[in-house]
Structures are given as structure tokens and as C-alpha cells.
Amino acid sequence: MPTLSEPTLLRSQNLIDGQWRDAGLGARFPVTDPANAEAFANVADSDAGDARLAVDAAAAAFPAWSRRPARERAQLLKRWHALILDHQEDLARIISTEQGKPLKEARGEVQYGASYVEWFAEEATRICGDIVAEAVPGRKLLVLKEPVGVVAAITPWNFPLAMIARKIAPALAAGCTVVAKPAEDTPLTALALAWLAQQAGMPAGVVNIVTASRERTPGVVDAWLADSRVRKVTFTGSTPVGKHLARESAATLKKLSLELGGNAPFIVFDDADLDAAVDGLMASKFRNGGQTCVCPNRVYVHDAVHDAFVERLAQRVGALHVGPATEDAAQIGPMINARAVDKIARHVEDAVARGARVVTGGKRVRSADGPHYYAPTVLVDATPAMELSCEETFGPVAPIFRFRDEAEVIRDANDTPFGLAAYFYSNDIRRIWRVAQALETGMVGINEGAIAAEAAPFGGVKESGYGREGSRHGLDDYMHTKYLCQGQLG
Ligand code: SIN
């Protein structure tokens, strides 16, 4: 259990209609610290009945919230933003304990998540429609932006604060109300965030949080999918779950934002600045122990610079400190759970069996501390036949693929159903534009490994989903366009 300066942040009940309530069945499920696989808290294990109550509250709160002047909604979001930053250290400790994110990175996540709240507080006051030049005399054509209604937000465990903040903040800014379900591995951060929203003065029913175990999650989510009052679903997580949400929400034709799986290529051309490329790969691959949708999954290095790049990379990776996330020295914490670490081990074993060579890492470590640690790993001689080339490893493993020409590497980089992020390093300006346009992804890092920011549109193409989070585009997903045509004015 993390020690907090504000212990009330640790909540265990649902927030529905401004009330902290147990699940209707009275059930609870354990929250586990991935560092030692021990349960340290219990939270409400909700079912469809709790999910419907949350929608009742959000639907009842919608008319008043959506009619509030944008400036008032913005002020409440700003107050929430300030409270998040005031409680940065406590929130970081909760994130570290339930997710296994090293403390330093968890502090960064609080800032990162808060930046979306601030950004959308500001954007709320800039929602504009259009007045269109009339085609017929005596008519006015006006275009309004209106909030879609109740939004269901379903969020992942890898950024327990940032992902929910960047869904709730634009929804509230647009005038929508929210029902949210955080991942079962990391419910406590979301509940703490909701408590802070309440302290900021958010009216009852505007933000509702329902927690559920892995077993009861389908009951909660399916209740929201079937409910015609829920007008939008926003989800970050796996592509199979995203497809299920798209199928099941078709009956009521909800608006959808889906930020799904990735299989990001990271390409180092022979004209790249190798030190910058190593820095970029360290930042993007090993952030959160490699448990991010945008982290490079396939590292393509040109034959001419391959050995020099691998040598520099292996030195840096071999020096990463692995340890319990709440220890200050930790750079790579435990993986989220046993399924995650088993998948990493399976990918490395499969790669080695198919001819890859381990340069550093390649094994489970620190088993005396807990079962979820995996050594940061560099593999060479990776090929498209290996599992780690087709599927996200979601762990601290950098497989290196050798390439010889630009056309070949672009073809291989795009040879995946996914299209979230891609990265490449080159100093040739013509190549930079050629490659940036040829890569089939929603986001491209050019000589840069850390691409996410509240001012930028985050999202993918192909089976990585649709919709954008952050930037001015992030509000559009929570609004619809209404056209007014007024006649008899001439
Ligand atoms: C994710 O992994 O889904 C989000 C990563 C980010 O916001 O940078």
C-alpha cells in the first residue's frame, strides 16, 4: 500500500452520481502490486446493474452540463488540473504501486496527463462553428458544434492516469458527461483522479467511475454498448477488443474513438546520427519497460551502420537498472502481470529458436523480488518469420533487423495490419520527406523518439484504429455538427 500525504485519495468504491458506492452485489476484487504479485487493496467489482446506474447519472447530468457556458466548464477543468499537480507525488506513488512504473516516470505521467486537462480546459473556450456564405438570397446557413452526449471511456493499465485524463478532459470540455471503466489491473489511479475532480467542484453525475474485475468487465462494457443513451465509446487497448466494441456498438451507431495495438518500426538509415538514434530508441523503446502502444517493436538498422549501432545500444541497454518501481534507482520496473512476462519470454524463445542472437538480456531476472521482471534485451538477426515481428511484445525487448535499401525497409515496415507510430533517423532532407509520406502510420517520429504531446493528434490508421486524442482535433471526436438553415430573411 503506498504511503500518501493525502490518504483519502485511495478510494475503493465506484463514483456514481457524486456518491461513493459499493458495487450492487457487494463484491470486490483485489488490486495487485506487480513488484511482488501481492494484493494490497480491494475495489468494487461491478456488474451491468452498476453500469446502468452510472449511465442514469450521466444522462441526468448531461442537459445542465452541456448548457453551462464553456468558460465555466473550462474553469472547473483548470481547478481539476491544479489539484492533479498539487497531488503529483501521491498520484505517482499510486501509479508506481499498481502499475509497476518507475517512480520518476510515474511523476512524468502525472504531468503528461495533467497537460491534457489544461489543454482541453483552454480548448473548451474555443469551440466554434461556421456561418456559411448563403447560396440563395434571404437564407442564413449556420454550423454548430454540439456535444454528442454520454461518453463511455474504457482505459488501459499502461498509463493509468494519462489515458483516462485525455479521454475525460475533452469530453467534459465539449459538454459531454462520462461513464468510465479503468483497467482491472490499475483502478486506483482512476478513482483518485475522480476524487480530485469531485474536490474541484465537478457536479454530481458529470464524471462516473465503475471498476470491475477481468471476469465482470464484459458485463459492464456490454451494458454500455447496448445502451442507446451512450452516444460515444472511447477506448485504448487491444485491436481484438476494439473490433468487438465496434461490432457491438453498431446496433446503436455510437461514435467511436479507438486507439488500438501497434507494431511500430524504428528505422536507422546509413546517414543517421547514430548517437541521436540510440538516444531516441532508448526513450521510445524502454519507456514504461516497453509497455506502450507506440514503442518500437521492430528496429531496422542499415547494414553499413548495423554493428556500430548495436554496440552502442547494447551498452546502454545493459546498464539499465531493473528493480521495484517505487525504488528511486529503478529504470525498468516489473511487467504488469504474469501473462505479460510469459509473452515476452515466449517471443524471445521463439526468436532464438528461429536464429536470433541475444546480445544482452534475454532472460527473467530478480525472481527473489517477484515473478514479473524481465531483463532489458537486445536481439540481432531478427526476421519477419519471428512472432515478435508480427505481434506487439509489450516489453523491454529490441529486436534488430538488418536492411540494405530504402524501398526494402519501407516495404517491410508497412508489412503489418497495424499503423499507429513509426520512427526513423536520417539526415537527408529528400529522404525524410519521402519516407515520412511512405510510412503507413498515424504518427511519425523523424529524428525523434518521444512524440506524444497534448498539442499533437495522437492516433493510428489501419487496424490501429481511428479518432485522435490531444490537439484541436481531439475535441471533434466528442462533438457532432449541426446545420441550421434559416429562411425568409430577404
Ligand atoms: C499508449 O501506449 O497507448 C499511449 C502512449 C502515449 O501516450 O505516449
Side-chain angles (χ1 to χ4, degrees):
M1 180 76 82
T3 311
L4 306 181
S5 54
E6 175 58 80
T8 354
L9 278 172
L10 278 178
R11 319 296 307 178
S12 59
Q13 296 168 297
N14 290 329
L15 176 63
I16 297 179
D17 203 15
Q19 308 290 320
W20 292 95
R21 316 158 56 129
D22 288 328
L25 297 174
R28 292 181 159 251
F29 70 96
V31 184
T32 303
D33 179 350
N36 52 26
E38 284 170 14
F40 68 96
N42 284 290
V43 298
D45 196 2
S46 313
D47 67 355
D50 302 299
R52 277 191 289 271
L53 281 180
V55 180
D56 292 346
F62 176 70
W65 180 251
S66 57
R67 280 199 296 268
R68 264 177 103 145
R71 186 159 295 284
E72 284 182 28
R73 294 201 302 269
Q75 277 160 354
L76 281 165
L77 283 165
K78 281 190 179 158
R79 250 181 261 151
W80 189 30
H81 170 253
L83 286 176
I84 294 170
L85 292 185
D86 286 351
H87 293 82
Q88 178 182 1
E89 190 58 26
D90 279 353
L91 290 167
R93 285 184 186 279
I94 299 174
I95 294 172
S96 265
T97 311
E98 66 175 352
Q99 197 254 286
K101 183 169 288 169
L103 205 42
K104 194 160 156 249
E105 275 192 57
R107 292 185 187 115
E109 182 181 343
V110 179
Q111 301 246 356
Y112 177 50
S115 72
Y116 284 93
V117 178
E118 183 178 42
W119 173 269
F120 285 111
E122 289 164 354
E123 287 296 293
T125 59
R126 297 189 194 119
I127 297 170
C128 295
D130 306 305
I131 299 176
V132 183
E134 52 266 41
V136 176
R139 276 197 195 163
K140 284 282 176 222
L141 280 47
L142 300 109
V143 181
L144 308 184
K145 291 286 185 184
E146 292 189 335
V148 292
V150 175
V151 171
I154 303 162
T155 58
W157 52 263
N158 61 342
F159 288 85
L161 188 142
M163 296 303 103
I164 199 158
R166 86 176 179 200
K167 293 182 188 318
I168 293 182
L172 301 191
C176 300
T177 53
V178 176
V179 293
K181 197 209 76 65
E184 66 275 7
D185 293 300
T186 56
L188 296 171
T189 309
L191 293 171
L193 214 51
W195 185 77
L196 290 173
Q198 210 179 20
Q199 305 315 300
M202 231 40 106
V206 168
V207 176
N208 305 276
I209 309 277
V210 174
T211 56
S213 61
R214 197 174 173 76
E215 295 69 37
R216 288 216 168 90
T217 286
V220 169
V221 171
D222 290 348
W224 290 345
L225 293 174
D227 196 319
S228 60
R229 295 171 300 170
V230 174
R231 294 313 315 147
K232 177 185 167 79
V233 175
T234 171
F235 170 70
T236 298
S238 75
T239 294
V241 174
K243 288 182 179 175
H244 169 78
L245 299 179
R247 268 192 305 268
E248 295 303 311
S249 61
T252 51
L253 281 183
K254 300 183 199 312
K255 213 170 153 98
L256 283 171
S257 297
L258 301 174
E259 198 259 272
L260 308 177
N263 184 3
F266 185 106
I267 307 169
V268 183
F269 286 100
D270 49 350
D271 55 39
D273 174 336
L274 285 196
D275 288 326
V278 171
D279 284 346
L281 186 59
M282 293 303 294
S284 55
K285 174 74 242 186
F286 295 96
R287 174 176 173 230
N288 201 17
Q291 301 173 108
T292 78
C293 299
V294 286
C295 77
N297 204 49
R298 298 166 292 155
V299 183
Y300 297 97
V301 184
H302 191 277
D303 188 41
V305 293
H306 178 277
D307 294 353
F309 180 83
V310 170
E311 193 186 326
R312 290 183 215 185
L313 178 69
Q315 253 175 28
R316 295 275 296 276
V317 174
L320 285 171
H321 183 83
V322 182
T326 46
E327 280 178 9
D328 273 332
Q331 292 169 296
I332 303 285
M335 301 295 106
I336 185 71
N337 55 32
R339 281 193 311 283
V341 83
D342 288 350
K343 180 182 185 189
I344 297 165
R346 177 167 56 76
H347 274 190
V348 172
E349 279 157 27
D350 169 77
V352 169
R354 291 173 195 265
R357 181 167 59 83
V358 175
V359 182
T360 185
K363 56 181 187 300
R364 295 171 193 255
V365 282
R366 291 187 76 111
S367 42
D369 290 324
H372 299 162
Y373 292 93
Y374 201 88
T377 298
V378 177
L379 299 172
V380 288
D381 300 333
T383 69
M386 298 171 182
E387 279 182 46
L388 49 64
S389 160
C390 318
E391 224 191 304
E392 273 180 303
T393 302
F394 234 63
V397 178
I400 314 286
F401 300 68
R402 196 187 283 261
F403 75 92
R404 289 184 178 78
D405 79 78
E406 188 183 303
E408 165 204 348
V409 77
I410 296 293
R411 191 194 57 231
D412 287 352
N414 287 338
D415 187 16
T416 166
F418 302 103
L420 189 57
Y423 307 81
F424 68 93
Y425 278 70
S426 167
N427 279 324
D428 175 341
I429 189 70
R430 290 193 186 84
R431 167 175 279 158
I432 285 177
W433 283 101
R434 234 179 10 246
V435 174
Q437 286 178 319
L439 287 168
E440 296 168 358
T441 56
M443 297 175 281
V444 182
I446 306 167
N447 296 328
E448 181 57 65
I451 56 174
E454 77 288 358
F458 191 105
V461 297
K462 295 161 68 176
E463 294 191 22
S464 291
Y466 37 75
R468 292 294 178 265
E469 297 190 318
S471 80
R472 69 185 168 81
H473 304 286
L475 264 188
D476 284 344
D477 276 310
Y478 294 87
M479 294 188 292
H480 54 228
T481 301
K482 183 185 271 180
Y483 159 53
L484 309 183
C485 176
Q486 187 175 4
Q488 306 300 324
L489 295 173

